[in-house]
Amino acid sequence: MMMTSSNVDIEILIDELKMLRKGRGLFVTNIDERVRPALRAVCGVTAQDGPVEIRRKVATKLENLAYALPADLREAAMAAFAITQEARFPFYRDRVEWIAAKFNRDPRTVRRRIDDAIHHLAQLVTAGPLPPDP
């Protein structure tokens, strides 16, 4: 059965989002391998899409979903996936430290906020029809 955004398992999507945040986030070289089936379905990524298009589709969807989150969770998610230009560091831990410094929080607190944001993003996707993208 082909996966669509309406039948995505929330736990699988959470795992895929957590995998995506590693390394360079959206700017990992092998983005086509890192974006797995649930995330592909949610973001409308097709087999014909190349790395640039995959990156664009995923970044756009995550950014649009993040606007429904409280500001601290939105910024944490955007930096975690390296969508925020100032947070495009080669390692996830560097992005965590950047957010921690920006909000004057402990890195452990930031990691919890990122996990919260990922859970909220997955819930938004699996909750049913989404509002139109801005």
Side-chain angles (χ1 to χ4, degrees):
M1 178 172 90
M2 188 173 130
M3 189 175 296
T4 64
S5 61
S6 62
N7 67 0
V8 168
D9 180 282
I10 191 168
E11 294 304 321
I12 291 172
L13 183 58
I14 288 168
D15 289 344
E16 290 183 13
L17 288 168
K18 286 181 177 181
M19 185 187 327
L20 182 63
R21 72 183 177 191
K22 295 178 181 178
R24 291 189 178 272
L26 279 171
F27 292 88
V28 67
T29 303
N30 61 338
I31 189 76
D32 55 326
E33 296 170 18
R34 189 71 68 88
V35 176
R36 307 295 301 156
L39 193 53
R40 283 176 175 270
V42 165
C43 299
V45 174
T46 68
Q48 293 76 34
D49 291 333
V52 172
E53 189 65 11
I54 293 170
R55 198 170 284 115
R56 185 193 64 75
K57 285 181 175 182
V58 173
T60 299
K61 179 55 81 175
L62 292 177
E63 189 171 1
N64 289 339
L65 288 170
Y67 280 107
L69 302 178
D72 63 327
L73 296 181
R74 178 177 54 248
E75 289 210 39
M78 299 285 285
F81 296 114
I83 296 171
T84 302
Q85 189 166 353
E86 299 85 16
R88 290 187 183 161
F89 301 111
F91 301 108
Y92 173 63
R93 73 172 177 266
D94 294 336
R95 292 191 298 280
V96 168
E97 289 175 11
W98 181 83
I99 302 164
K102 182 174 181 176
F103 289 114
N104 195 26
R105 296 287 181 257
D106 185 86
R108 288 179 306 198
T109 301
V110 169
R111 283 191 289 278
R112 283 193 303 271
R113 291 217 176 121
I114 291 168
D115 284 345
D116 287 348
I118 286 172
H119 280 83
H120 285 293
L121 292 172
Q123 290 168 357
L124 285 168
V125 167
T126 59
L130 299 172
D133 291 340

